C-alpha cells in the first residue's frame, strides 16, 4: 500500500521548477514573479515587481509595502515621521515586529528614542524600486530580530530604461521634483556591464491640516554597479533629510465640541527633523555548484521629534516633549551555499553570519515648550551589538517532497550609560541576551490538482529585541518609582499551513492558516522613557492572496486577511490586544499595455478593531480608494494624475484609546490627570496630484 501511494503521488507530481528554474538553485527570478510553485518555501512568501508599483497610486513612500498582502501602512502624526504598520493582528507601531532591509541595509532601529524597531521608510523613491522580496512568519534562516511577523527586502534598480525628470504638483501645497538617470561606463553598453545610477528628489507638502505641515524632504542617491544581484556588485551612497510641522492625533471630543476643526491641532509646534546618510556595498557570485553573497554598510542617523500626544494634562503650557536620537550603525552579512547535486538529493546547504552594531551617542527624552528644552527626563549613551550565525539545508527528497531545516543563533549585548535625568542616573549597565531558533518546513508538490498545486507546512522560533534601556533600568526616570527590568529578547513561536495553486493560466492564488505565540508584548514607551509589559499573547488567522494577469499588461490582485489577537491572561480588564486589526481586504487593478493610456486603481478595507483590552471600545471600519491615470504623449513626454481618497471618505487614519486633555479642559480645571477617550488622526480628504515626466 505505501508503494502504491508513492506511485500515485509521483504520477500527480509535476517537475519541481518555476519559470524554468530548478527548485533548489539560488536564483534571481526575472519573470513570472508570482509563479513561485517549485521555488517557495512557504505559502506566504512572494515578490513584488517594478511593474506592480509603476501604476500604483501612493500617498506616502512607505505605502509601497502595502503590496505585501495584509500589510497596512498609515500615519498618526506628521509625514516626516515613520509610519504606523499593521500585519497579522499586530500593531507593529513603527516597525517593532516587521524587519525591512533596503539594498542590504537594515531600516529598523534598535533602542530608538521613539520606539523599538522604528522603521522610517520616507527616504524611499518608489520609482527606483526594482523589487520587494517578502516573507511572513519566523521560518527563514536569514530573518532574525524584528522579523516576528515577517520581513521585506527592497532592492533598487541598477540601470534605468531611460533618464527622466518628473514634476509633481497637487492640492495643499504638494510639490515634488525627481530627476534620475543612468549610464553605462566604459566601452561596454551591455545591461549587465558597469552602470552608474544617479537620482535626486526634492519634495514639499502642507497637507490638509489647519496648521500647515511645511514638510520638506531632500533625497540623493548614487549607485555604481556591475552584473546582477546574484552575480555582480553594487556600491550605493544615499543622503536623506526632512523637517516638518506635525498635527498629532487628538481627542475626538476636541473636534465634536468645536474646540478645533476636523484637521486642527492642539499643539502649535509639534513636528521634527531627521536625517539618514549611508554607504553600502553588495557583492555576489553564482557558480555551477555554489553561490556566495556578502554586504556591508554604515549609516549615520538622527532624529529630533517634538510631540504632545496627551495634550495639556500637565497644564496650559502643554505636554510637549522631545525625543532625540543620534547614532552610527554599521555592520554586514555573508552567506555561502553549496549545491550538492543528485547524489545528495539536490540538497542546498547554506551557512551565514550577520553582524550589526549601533553606536548611539545620545538618545534622550526631554520636556519642552515650543521646541525649547525645559528639562531632561532621561539621556543615555548606548552601544548595542548583535551577532547571528545560521545554517540551512534545503533538500528535494522526491519529485513531490522537499524540506527546509534551519538553525539560527542570535546574541545581543548592550552597554547603557546614563548621561542625564534626575531619576535616571542610577540606571544603566550591561546586558546580554541570546536565542537559538530552530526552523522547519515541508513542501508537498507540485501536483496536477487545481492546476499546478503545492502544500506547505512551516514551524519556527523567532524574536524581537527590547530596548536596552528597559533591560538595564530599575528606576522610572519620570518619577523615581521602582520598575522591573525586562528581558532583552521577547521570544516568539509560529506555525502555518498553506496551499499555493495556479488554477488557470495567469492566476496564482494562495491560502494560509497561521498561529503565533509571543512570550511578552513588551513595548518601550518613548513618551515616558520606560518599557511597559503587557503579558504573553496568542494570535491566529487566515490569509487569502490572489494575483491575476488575464492579459499582457493587465494585473489584478485581491487579498483578504483575518486574524484574532488575545492576551493569554486578562490584562487591564480584558484579553483583547489593542489596535490589532481583525480584518483587512484590498483589491487592485493595473493596466499598461504599452499604449498611450495606462493606470491603476486600489480599494482598501480596514475592519473595526479593539481600542483597549476589554474590547468595549472599537474603531470605526472604513474603506478607501485611490486612482492613478497616465497618458504618454510621446516616448519622451508623459502626463499623470493621482486622485487619493477618490470618494472623499470621512474616516480616521488611526484610532487609539487613552488619556489626554484639550486646552479648554485644562484651563477649566477638568483634566484631573487626563480624560480617557478616543484619540484620532483623520484620514486625509480627497486630493489631486498632477505629474509631468520628461525623458532625456
Amino acid at each position: 500500500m505505501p508503494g502504491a501511494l508513492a506511485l500515485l503521488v509521483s504520477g500527480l507530481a509535476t517537475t519541481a521548477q518555476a519559470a524554468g528554474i530548478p527548485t533548489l538553485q539560488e536564483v534571481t527570478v526575472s519573470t513570472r514573479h508570482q509563479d513561485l510553485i517549485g521555488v517557495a518555501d512557504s505559502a506566504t512568501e512572494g515578490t513584488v515587481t517594478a511593474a506592480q508599483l509603476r501604476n500604483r497610486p501612493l500617498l506616502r513612500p512607505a505605502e509601497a509595502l502595502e503590496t505585501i498582502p495584509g500589510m497596512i501602512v498609515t500615519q498618526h502624526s506628521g509625514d516626516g515621521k515613520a509610519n504606523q504598520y499593521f500585519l497579522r493582528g499586530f500593531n507593529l507601531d513603527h516597525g517593532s515586529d516587521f524587519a525591512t532591509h533596503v539594498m542590504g541595509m537594515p531600516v529598523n532601529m534598535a533602542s530608538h528614542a521613539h520606539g523599538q524597531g522604528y522603521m522610517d521608510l520616507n527616504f524611499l523613491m518608489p520609482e527606483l524600486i526594482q523589487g520587494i522580496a517578502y516573507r511572513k512568519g519566523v521560518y527563514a534562516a536569514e530573518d532574525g530580530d524584528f522579523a516576528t511577523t515577517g520581513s521585506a527586502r527592497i532592492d533598487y534598480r541598477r540601470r534605468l530604461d531611460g533618464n527622466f525628470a518628473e514634476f509633481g504638483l497637487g492640492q495643499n501645497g504638494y510639490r515634488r521634483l525627481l530627476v534620475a538617470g543612468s549610464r553605462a561606463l566604459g566601452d561596454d553598453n551591455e545591461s549587465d556591464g558597469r552602470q552608474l545610477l544617479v537620482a535626486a528628489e526634492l519634495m514639499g507638502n502642507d497637507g490638509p491640516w489647519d496648521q500647515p505641515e511645511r514638510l520638506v524632504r531632500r533625497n540623493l542617491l548614487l549607485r555604481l554597479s556591475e552584473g546582477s544581484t546574484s552575480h555582480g556588485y553594487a556600491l550605493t551612497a544615499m543622503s536623506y533629510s526632512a523637517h516638518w510641522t506635525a498635527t498629532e492625533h487628538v481627542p475626538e471630543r476636541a473636534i465634536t465640541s468645536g474646540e478645533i476643526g476636523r484637521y486642527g491641532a492642539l499643539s502649535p509646534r509639534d513636528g521634527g527633523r531627521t536625517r539618514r546618510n549611508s554607504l553600502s556595498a553588495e557583492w555576489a557570485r553564482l557558480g555551477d555548484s555554489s553561490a556566495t553573497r556578502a554586504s556591508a554598510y554604515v549609516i549615520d542617523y538622527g532624529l529630533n521629534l517634538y510631540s504632545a500626544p496627551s495634550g495639556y494634562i500637565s497644564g496650559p503650557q502643554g505636554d510637549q516633549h522631545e525625543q532625540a536620537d543620534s547614532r552610527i550603525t554599521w555592520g554586514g552579512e555573508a552567506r555561502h551555499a553549496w549545491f550538492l547535486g543528485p547524489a545528495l538529493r539536490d540538497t542546498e546547504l547554506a551557512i551565514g553570519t550577520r553582524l550589526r552594531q549601533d553606536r548611539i551617542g545620545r538618545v534622550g527624552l526631554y520636556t519642552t515648550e515650543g521646541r525649547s528644552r525645559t528639562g531632561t527626563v532621561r539621556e543615555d549613551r548606548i552601544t548595542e551589538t548583535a551577532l547571528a550565525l545560521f545554517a540551512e539545508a534545503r533538500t528535494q527528497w522526491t519529485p513531490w517532497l522537499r524540506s527546509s531545516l534551519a538553525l539560527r543563533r542570535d546574541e545581543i549585548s548592550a552597554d547603557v550609560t546614563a548621561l542625564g535625568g534626575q531619576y535616571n542616573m542610577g540606571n544603566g549597565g550591561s546586558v546580554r541576551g541570546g536565542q537559538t531558533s530552530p526552523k522547519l518546513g515541508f513542501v508537498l508538490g507540485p501536483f496536477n490538482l487545481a492546476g499546478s498545486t503545492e502544500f506547505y507546512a512551516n514551524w519556527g522560533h523567532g524574536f524581537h529585541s527590547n530596548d536596552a534601556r528597559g533591560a538595564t533600568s530599575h528606576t522610572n526616570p519620570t518619577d523615581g518609582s521602582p520598575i522591573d527590568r525586562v528581558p532583552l529578547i521577547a521570544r516568539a513561536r509560529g506555525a502555518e499551513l498553506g496551499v499555493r495553486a495556479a488554477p488557470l493560466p495567469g492566476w496564482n492564488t494562495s491560502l494560509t492558516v497561521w498561529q503565533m505565540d509571543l512570550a511578552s508584548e513588551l513595548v518601550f514607551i518613548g513618551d515616558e522613557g520606560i518599557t511597559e509589559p503587557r503579558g504573553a499573547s496568542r494570535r491566529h488567522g487566515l490569509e487569502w492572496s490572489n494575483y491575476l494577469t488575464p492579459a499582457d499588461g493587465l494585473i489584478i490582485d485581491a487579498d483578504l486577511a483575518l486574524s484574532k489577537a488575545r492576551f493569554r491572561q486578562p490584562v487591564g480588564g480584558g484579553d483583547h490586544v489593542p489596535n490589532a486589526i481583525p480584518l483587512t481586504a484590498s483589491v487592485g487593478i493595473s493596466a499598461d499595455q504599452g499604449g498611450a493610456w495606462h493606470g491603476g486603481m486600489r480599494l482598501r478595507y480596514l475592519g473595526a478593531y479593539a481600542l483597549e483590552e476589554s474590547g468595549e471600545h472599537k474603531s470605526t471600519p472604513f474603506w478607501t480608494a485611490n486612482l492613478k491615470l497616465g497618458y504618454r504623449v510621446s516616448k519622451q513626454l508623459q502626463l499623470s494624475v493621482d486622485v487619493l481618497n477618490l470618494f472623499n471618505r470621512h474616516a480616521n487614519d488611526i484610532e487609539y484609546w487613552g488619556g489626554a486633555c484639550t486646552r479648554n479642559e485644562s484651563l477649566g480645571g477638568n483634566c484631573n490627570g487626563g480624560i480617557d477617550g478616543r484619540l484620532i488622526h483623520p484620514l486625509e480628504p480627497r486630493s489631486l496630484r498632477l505629474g509631468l515626466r520628461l525623458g532625456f
Side-chain angles (χ1 to χ4, degrees):
M1 188 66 180
L5 179 60
L7 184 62
L8 175 61
V9 172
S10 299
L12 288 172
T14 59
T15 303
Q17 295 191 359
I21 299 163
T23 301
L24 296 177
Q25 296 286 317
E26 179 165 314
V27 295
T28 300
V29 182
S30 59
T31 60
R32 294 174 62 193
H33 284 252
Q34 296 298 322
D35 187 2
L36 295 176
I37 293 174
V39 175
D41 290 322
S42 76
T44 53
E45 67 179 74
T47 56
V48 178
T49 68
Q52 290 173 258
L53 289 167
R54 188 177 301 123
N55 292 294
R56 191 182 186 99
L58 301 175
L59 175 64
R60 307 176 180 100
E63 287 183 4
L65 285 188
E66 287 196 348
T67 54
I68 300 172
M71 174 70 81
I72 297 297
V73 179
T74 185
Q75 183 58 273
H76 74 102
S77 182
D79 279 326
K81 182 181 178 182
N83 296 98
Q84 296 282 121
Y85 305 92
F86 299 85
L87 181 68
R88 285 198 161 185
F90 278 79
N91 172 8
L92 303 173
D93 193 37
H94 297 287
S96 59
D97 289 280
F98 188 85
T100 299
H101 291 74
V102 175
M103 291 178 285
M105 296 179 288
V107 181
N108 305 72
M109 292 292 173
S111 300
H112 188 270
H114 184 66
Q116 181 72 346
Y118 188 85
M119 188 173 81
D120 185 358
L121 287 169
N122 284 305
F123 67 92
L124 284 180
M125 290 182 268
E127 293 87 349
L128 301 185
I129 294 177
Q130 175 66 33
I132 303 174
Y134 65 86
R135 300 185 178 106
K136 296 182 186 176
V138 292
Y139 319 119
E142 292 181 309
D143 290 342
D145 197 3
F146 305 120
T148 311
T149 63
S151 66
R153 285 170 171 78
I154 301 173
D155 195 28
Y156 270 19
R157 295 172 178 268
R158 299 190 173 203
R159 64 182 295 273
L160 300 176
D161 296 333
N163 304 334
F164 67 89
E166 186 166 308
F167 305 87
L169 192 65
Q171 293 173 283
N172 304 315
Y174 175 83
R175 62 272 186 203
R176 181 176 184 246
L177 170 64
L178 172 64
V179 181
S182 66
R183 61 169 297 178
L185 301 180
D187 299 328
D188 189 357
N189 290 318
E190 296 294 327
S191 61
D192 60 352
R194 191 176 300 136
Q195 298 281 336
L196 179 64
L197 172 64
V198 180
E201 178 193 31
L202 180 62
M203 180 267 188
N205 192 25
D206 289 334
W209 318 108
D210 295 346
Q211 174 177 270
E213 189 168 27
R214 298 187 179 91
L215 170 67
V216 175
R217 286 205 299 254
R218 299 179 179 90
N219 218 346
L220 295 172
L221 169 77
L222 185 66
R223 186 164 166 84
L224 176 67
S225 64
E226 185 173 7
S228 65
T229 55
S230 60
H231 195 87
Y233 70 86
L235 304 173
T236 306
M238 304 178 74
S239 180
Y240 164 79
S241 65
H243 58 85
W244 69 97
T245 299
T247 294
E248 294 279 342
H249 61 253
V250 298
E252 187 177 44
R253 61 184 180 274
I255 298 174
T256 57
S257 69
E259 182 174 345
I260 61 173
R262 176 166 176 78
Y263 302 103
L266 288 178
S267 179
R269 296 293 306 280
D270 289 347
R273 58 185 181 272
T274 188
R275 72 177 190 276
R276 180 188 173 96
N277 304 302
S278 64
L279 289 171
S280 64
E282 301 166 273
W283 176 87
R285 284 292 180 268
L286 178 62
D288 293 335
S289 59
S290 66
T292 307
R293 67 172 183 262
S295 64
Y297 59 85
V298 59
I299 303 167
D300 165 52
Y301 171 83
L303 173 72
N304 296 87
L305 182 66
Y306 305 89
S307 53
S310 57
Y312 293 87
I313 291 178
S314 61
Q317 76 277 9
D319 302 338
Q320 190 186 76
H321 57 247
E322 176 191 358
Q323 295 161 322
D325 193 306
S326 181
R327 70 177 69 199
I328 298 292
T329 300
W330 65 272
E333 59 183 282
R335 181 182 188 273
H336 185 78
W338 296 269
F339 310 133
L340 302 183
L344 294 173
R345 303 285 186 179
D346 286 321
T347 295
E348 175 189 323
L349 178 64
I351 59 172
T353 183
R354 178 178 295 171
L355 173 66
R356 169 178 173 169
Q357 185 175 83
D358 289 79
R359 301 182 67 86
I360 309 171
R362 287 181 186 271
V363 55
L365 173 65
Y366 312 90
T367 57
T368 57
E369 291 183 33
R371 299 197 182 190
S372 296
R373 293 181 184 177
T374 58
T376 299
V377 178
R378 74 176 304 163
E379 184 178 273
D380 302 275
R381 180 173 62 246
I382 304 174
T383 299
E384 186 165 341
T385 305
L387 175 65
L389 300 171
F390 65 85
E392 181 181 32
R394 303 171 68 225
T395 303
Q396 187 76 51
W397 296 100
T398 72
W400 49 269
L401 174 63
R402 63 184 189 272
S403 68
S404 60
L405 174 64
L407 191 66
R408 180 185 175 98
R409 177 65 186 180
D410 286 271
E411 289 285 341
I412 301 176
S413 62
D415 295 308
V416 182
T417 302
L419 302 177
Q422 178 181 357
Y423 301 112
N424 185 53
M425 297 307 295
N427 291 326
S430 299
V431 64
R432 298 179 64 92
Q435 175 166 304
T436 300
S437 303
K439 302 166 189 288
L440 179 63
F442 291 98
V443 184
L444 297 173
F447 302 122
N448 288 315
L449 297 174
S452 187
T453 303
E454 283 189 333
F455 299 91
Y456 304 85
N458 299 91
W459 171 89
H461 285 215
F463 72 97
H464 73 234
S465 64
N466 288 311
D467 193 293
R469 290 168 292 177
T472 56
S473 294
H474 55 81
T475 302
N476 188 323
T478 304
D479 57 17
S481 60
I483 58 175
D484 294 328
R485 295 181 178 182
V486 301
L488 192 58
I489 285 178
R491 303 176 186 276
R493 183 177 68 249
E496 69 179 46
L497 297 172
V499 59
R500 187 191 302 267
L504 296 171
W507 179 18
N508 287 271
T509 184
S510 64
L511 182 68
T512 309
V513 292
W514 59 269
Q515 179 175 291
M516 173 67 67
D517 291 327
L518 194 61
S520 178
E521 296 272 338
L522 292 170
V523 178
F524 185 81
I525 309 299
D527 299 343
E528 301 176 19
I530 62 171
T531 297
E532 179 179 303
R534 296 182 182 174
S537 63
R538 167 167 288 183
R539 291 168 170 86
H540 59 264
L542 178 147
E543 295 174 332
W544 184 31
S545 177
N546 295 274
Y547 181 88
L548 298 89
T549 52
D552 289 341
L554 183 62
I555 300 173
I556 301 172
D557 61 88
D559 307 306
L560 176 69
L562 303 170
S563 64
K564 182 179 180 181
R566 295 291 187 269
F567 289 110
R568 302 297 293 269
Q569 299 293 332
V571 175
D575 62 356
H576 288 74
V577 178
N579 296 97
I581 303 177
L583 171 62
T584 67
S586 69
V587 178
I589 183 170
S590 173
D592 189 352
Q593 296 181 317
W597 290 97
H598 55 96
M601 183 175 179
R602 298 206 59 79
L603 286 85
R604 185 187 74 171
Y605 177 81
L606 270 69
Y609 51 88
L611 299 178
E612 37 72 45
E613 289 82 355
S614 74
E616 179 182 352
H617 301 282
K618 296 182 181 294
S619 69
T620 302
F622 70 96
W623 61 271
T624 58
N626 294 333
L627 175 69
K628 185 182 188 73
L629 289 175
Y631 183 78
R632 297 184 179 94
V633 179
S634 67
K635 186 177 180 180
Q636 301 299 323
L637 176 61
Q638 296 183 41
L639 304 174
S640 65
V641 57
D642 287 29
V643 187
L644 305 167
N645 193 0
L646 177 63
F647 300 108
N648 202 29
R649 301 286 295 182
H650 283 260
N652 297 319
D653 235 349
I654 197 166
E655 299 182 22
Y656 298 106
W657 187 267
C661 284
T662 70
R663 184 189 296 271
N664 288 349
E665 289 168 344
S666 180
L667 292 174
N670 301 318
C671 191
N672 298 321
I675 302 172
D676 285 341
R678 195 178 299 261
L679 307 173
I680 67 170
H681 192 259
L683 188 70
E684 295 193 22
R686 180 170 51 220
S687 61
L688 191 71
R689 295 179 180 178
L690 303 176
L692 170 67
R693 175 178 287 205
L694 298 174
F696 61 91

